[in-house]
Amino acid sequence: MKRNKLNYNSKIKDIYANPIGHDVLYKLLLQLNKSEKLVTNPIIKNLSLKTVVSLTQKSLGTEFFDVLLELLNSEGEYPRTAQKGTKPTWWKEAVFYQIYPRSFMDSDGDGIGDIKGIISKLDYLKELGVDAIWLSPIYDSPNDDNGYDIRDYYDIMSEFGTMEDFERLLAEVHKRGMKLIMDLVVNHTSDEHTWFQEVIKKPESKYKEYYLFQKSKDENPPNNWTSFFSGTAWNYYKELDEWALHLFSKKQMDLNWDNENVRKDIQKMIRWWLTKGVDGFRLDVINYISKREGLPWGNKTVGELMGYYGIENYYYGPNLHKYLREIRAEAFEPFQAFSVGETPGVGMEMSKLLTADYRQELDMVFSFDHLETPGHVRFDDYQYDLNYLKEYLIHWMEHYGDACWMSLFYENHDNPRMISKVNNNPAFREPLAKLLAMIQLTLKGTPFIFQGQEIGSVNKTFQSINDLRDVESINLYKELIEKSSAENAFQKILSGSRDHARTPMQWNNKKNAGFTEGSPWIGTDEDYREWNVEKQLENGDSVLNFYKHLIQLRKEHKALTYGEFEAVNKKKKDRFTYYRKWEKEEFFIECNLSNSTLRRSSKAVGYELILSNYSEPAKELRPYEANLYKV
Ligand code: TEU
């Protein structure tokens, strides 16, 4: 459906009805920790943009609104409403498991996880009930960002093994009836990729057009865009007297997707892997690939609000849909390959335009608005409020629509552990781990479990900055110590470091948690002695067995995958209760989102209790109690 362009006479309600307008305002409200009512109340929603500008000019500036309108009008399409019926496919029924290869299992004692290590654990994953594996990058890379900086798309990182090892892995995965998806990192390549190296050697090379080089008028970078890993997003190259764009580390150079040759080369590479038999891809920061022409300066207000400058020029760029459709048609479609896009900053309405089945772009996306409670960012030291997660999930369950399918996750290799974010009191670790599992595995969508989540992993007690390895943490630390004490800087890093998720998988209570015979590339702490796979496999009540049980139930009962979702007592704080219904089958899920006791829901009386994170019955609903009933 097409709509009219928005302008200064448009009303707030028109802006909120525009898919990007909706998601931008929603995100803004989150960032400012304000209720949605702020834009939906009758007075405000009828204000014209003109009036809003005059009211907020001082704080936001007028240019902010020009930028906003340009962004909003760049999307001519609106999601269709009311398509009824979900089309069944394997990936809607699957439970995915993300492996971060560097930290999963080391087979050769060099302290770095590898492909043979993964193969040795496939039976474990099968036992757990995993249907599909997402492998973080295993391509040849100098590892500035642990493989997210690819040097050669057609080769395997030597620390991880060989192409033969990979082929064996794929065959072993398939032999067990599972699927394998790879990470596709194509917003950027390593600066050590031959394309980039060619340019440095030969400025007149055709590969210059593969990247985003620009001249600058003076000694400063061409624009004010900042990198997600601190500082300017530009590197200066003396050989060329030009700058090249990198949204991430200094060694991750952004590709120029407006160059058709780049797109063709990438599509060719994707087909090459699909010909080998991989089942699909997780597409790294795929919503960043299309940059606004001329790479305009980032708006100051947006930059201050988001913490990054320039983002409005590329997080939902003008050709994004076109490029995604091309990839789909030229590479994915002929192989029936599955795709899930990593799309930071994209909310629900934009996600619809990226994933609705009639649009032929992606199958699913990872949206991230639920990973921090409103008003907070990852590096804040605060306690995550599960009431917000509930609100977010209900919103998506009720409005994402039958043409779209949601990804369900709390963790990945870029985020601290969810249990630690919610409550780091060890007394609650086990019930909380199970509560999170209950929610993730009984909702509508495809669950993605991140390695270690299934044994209730928590954040590590890193002692100093020397214990950390991640380029983001290290760069941010350097930036912070310019302005504050080393101790404060380290505290901030500890709250948000991605390394919490990257310590070795805890297999047993032996040396290095059974991860390696050598010395691990990143350490673990004493935690593994009590919290490890081996121990949990032996204990019927463990977090691991709870996951296993839930996954099994999900497979046995269609109600838990395709079933209708119906929330009950939505407004009741600390309580998350809902039904899943499919034909004659009905389940009721009752969760206590707090660390205090609550009155038990009267609804559950007479229902059959199938699974609970507490073994003894009790009158009250105990801290983080989670129950699954058959109605
Ligand atoms: O992450 C992209 C991303 O925007 C973030 O999740 C990122 O980790 C961080 O929060 C930025 O502040 C993807 C990958 O998952 C991540 O590991 C890579 O470092 C990044 O892209 C670059 O490839």
Side-chain angles (χ1 to χ4, degrees), residues 369-409:
D369 288 349
H370 63 305
L371 290 193
E372 311 300 336
T373 321
H376 292 290
V377 292
R378 173 154 54 90
F379 284 99
D380 291 348
D381 182 13
Y382 76 99
Q383 209 172 356
Y384 184 99
D385 182 359
L386 285 174
N387 284 289
Y388 169 65
L389 180 72
K390 162 187 153 185
E391 195 188 313
Y392 170 92
L393 289 169
I394 293 179
H395 186 61
W396 280 69
M397 293 290 128
E398 294 184 340
H399 301 286
Y400 202 28
D402 283 357
C404 303
W405 191 259
M406 185 179 180
S407 66
L408 297 163
F409 72 101

Side-chain angles (χ1 to χ4, degrees), residues 98 100 134 136-137 145-149 183 185-188 227-229 247-249 252 282-285 287-288 308 342-345 368 371 378-379 412-415 470-472 496 498 502:
Q98 182 193 350
Y100 194 66
W134 150 26
S136 273
D145 186 19
N146 288 355
Y148 283 90
D149 47 323
D183 219 306
V185 190
V186 292
N187 173 68
H188 42 266
S227 148
F228 291 103
F229 295 159
L247 294 180
F248 292 90
S249 94
Q252 289 169 298
R282 173 261 188 195
L283 293 82
D284 192 62
V285 286
N287 57 317
Y288 292 3
Y308 304 106
E342 188 214 22
T343 53
F368 292 94
L371 290 193
R378 173 154 54 90
F379 284 99
N412 61 25
H413 62 293
D414 292 333
N415 285 279
D470 181 24
V471 58
E472 181 196 49
R498 308 192 297 181
R502 300 176 177 191

Side-chain angles (χ1 to χ4, degrees), residues 9-16 25 29 34-53 55-56:
N9 292 320
S10 305
K11 303 207 157 126
I12 291 288
K13 62 178 178 201
D14 306 323
I15 293 176
Y16 208 48
L25 287 182
L29 293 170
K34 298 270 189 263
S35 146
E36 200 183 2
K37 291 200 189 77
L38 193 69
V39 292
T40 54
N41 91 56
I43 302 179
I44 307 266
K45 77 175 185 193
N46 286 309
L47 288 182
S48 72
L49 188 57
K50 218 166 33 202
T51 316
V52 176
V53 176
L55 291 174
T56 59

Side-chain angles (χ1 to χ4, degrees), residues 6 81 124 192 240 273 374 439 468 470 483 501 525 537 563 571:
L6 296 164
T81 49
Y124 163 72
E192 296 183 29
L240 309 149
W273 284 100
I439 296 173
L468 296 173
D470 181 24
K483 297 175 281 195
D525 56 40
L537 281 173
K571 293 270 172 283

Side-chain angles (χ1 to χ4, degrees), residues 267-285:
Q267 288 153 13
K268 188 169 117 198
M269 178 272 290
I270 298 174
R271 286 193 297 267
W272 190 83
W273 284 100
L274 288 170
T275 308
K276 276 198 182 295
V278 307
D279 300 288
F281 292 92
R282 173 261 188 195
L283 293 82
D284 192 62
V285 286

Side-chain angles (χ1 to χ4, degrees), residues 98-155:
Q98 182 193 350
I99 291 181
Y100 194 66
R102 206 172 181 77
S103 310
F104 192 61
M105 182 65 202
D106 176 24
S107 73
D108 61 3
D110 68 353
I112 296 169
D114 49 41
I115 295 175
K116 285 197 177 121
I118 299 174
I119 297 175
S120 72
K121 296 298 183 186
L122 289 180
D123 287 331
Y124 163 72
L125 296 178
K126 183 70 193 172
E127 259 301 294
L128 177 59
V130 168
D131 302 292
I133 295 168
W134 150 26
L135 262 193
S136 273
I138 52 159
Y139 312 87
D140 172 48
S141 159
N143 275 312
D144 194 49
D145 186 19
N146 288 355
Y148 283 90
D149 47 323
I150 298 174
R151 181 164 50 201
D152 185 349
Y153 289 105
Y154 294 90
D155 201 0

